[in-house]
Amino acid sequence: MMTKGLFAFAMVMLVAGTAAAQPSAPLDDEARDRSEAAYETAFIVFEDEYAAYIRMEHWGDYTHGTVTPVRNAVPIRGVQRERLSPVEFYDAVGRDDLASDYQSGRRKQLVVGGVSLGAFGLSATFGTIAMVKWMSGPDFTECDIFSPTWEACNADVDRRARINDAQARNWAIGAGVALVGGVVLGAIFRSIDPHPVSESERRMLAHDHNERLRRELRLPRRRPATPTVSVTPFVDGDAAGLSAVGRF
């Protein structure tokens, strides 16, 4: 009995495996249209957005300009061109773990950025206090030169002036330290990438998502889209340039 039972189980598994290996029946025209419509609203591609920021600075009779190129890879969903945030992208491709990691990295980046802004604020505050102290120190004219206490008054004013200058220098040193700290933290803020995976890996996640979606909808694989690039001029205050959007 045991041998017969094992033989029957093996036959069932063989039939099931053979059925799974056979390709699914092709969709009729109506079903294929529905699947294509569903795919067109759910596929994800990355579009490269390029911008060149031009800043002009006037120094007397001279004008100095700087050009800063910037590229940003933006996930776009469907023909409706829905821009996805990083968290929405990771959720859409079924990687909740990466979405959680991104949120954690973003929080760390925001903390560093907030501390950097706080350091700049302290620097401005300390610098202002130092300037006020330097400008509002004791006045030697408060001593009457014809008074018998003029020397004592002058010595007292001199003593208070030295104390005031020392305090002003301390505030100025604090402003400088806070400024350096703000610059360093700002550089760290810009160097932090909250994404847990690289850009190329994010593009592969989108590719795998699209392939999986087409399999689930029983659609054949699609050839890669033809690359397109569009260029748009922009003006933003004292900055101007060209914004190029590419789809690859």
Side-chain angles (χ1 to χ4, degrees):
M1 289 294 294
M2 180 64 70
T3 304
K4 290 183 178 180
L6 291 174
F7 177 76
F9 177 75
M11 291 299 295
V12 170
M13 294 300 296
L14 177 62
V15 171
T18 303
Q22 292 178 350
S24 58
L27 300 174
D28 56 36
D29 291 343
E30 183 178 354
R32 184 168 57 253
D33 290 342
R34 289 197 300 268
S35 294
E36 286 287 359
Y39 176 81
E40 290 297 320
T41 60
F43 74 88
I44 297 176
V45 296
F46 272 87
E47 291 189 351
D48 290 335
E49 292 185 350
Y50 294 88
Y53 291 95
I54 303 176
R55 183 172 298 277
M56 308 302 294
E57 298 178 358
H58 302 282
W59 296 344
D61 296 333
Y62 300 94
T63 301
H64 174 72
T66 57
V67 179
T68 305
V70 177
R71 184 183 69 85
N72 187 31
V74 181
I76 305 294
R77 177 160 56 192
V79 294
Q80 69 273 21
R81 296 186 55 77
E82 176 187 0
R83 294 172 67 97
L84 300 178
S85 69
V87 174
E88 291 173 336
F89 166 72
Y90 289 126
D91 287 338
V93 299
R95 295 299 304 271
D96 296 341
D97 57 327
L98 296 182
S100 177
D101 291 343
Y102 173 84
Q103 289 176 318
S104 177
R106 183 59 175 165
R107 283 193 294 269
K108 293 177 182 177
Q109 186 185 41
L110 291 177
V111 168
V112 173
V115 175
S116 175
L117 291 177
F120 283 120
L122 284 177
S123 177
T125 301
F126 292 168
T128 301
I129 294 175
M131 290 297 297
V132 169
K133 280 190 166 295
W134 269 320
M135 296 176 63
S136 60
D139 189 359
F140 284 91
T141 60
E142 64 186 63
C143 297
D144 185 2
I145 192 172
F146 298 104
S147 173
T149 61
W150 176 81
E151 291 185 358
C153 178
N154 197 50
D156 180 67
V157 171
D158 184 65
R159 179 184 59 81
R160 287 189 286 122
R162 287 196 301 270
I163 294 175
N164 186 78
D165 289 344
Q167 292 176 345
R169 283 194 299 271
N170 290 337
W171 284 111
I173 292 173
V177 171
L179 178 61
V180 172
V183 171
V184 172
L185 290 172
I188 295 175
F189 170 81
R190 290 190 296 271
S191 67
I192 294 177
D193 184 1
H195 285 282
V197 295
S198 65
E199 180 186 324
S200 60
E201 290 174 304
R202 297 198 296 273
R203 290 179 182 271
M204 284 304 303
L205 288 174
H207 172 77
D208 294 342
H209 164 78
N210 295 339
E211 292 294 317
R212 183 171 59 253
L213 184 61
R214 293 191 72 83
R215 287 195 302 270
E216 292 173 354
L217 295 173
R218 299 168 61 188
L219 294 171
R221 297 186 63 181
R222 175 174 289 183
R223 294 180 179 179
T226 302
T228 59
V229 177
S230 59
V231 179
T232 305
F234 74 92
V235 177
D236 182 13
D238 59 350
L242 298 175
S243 174
V245 177
R247 178 175 178 177
F248 302 93

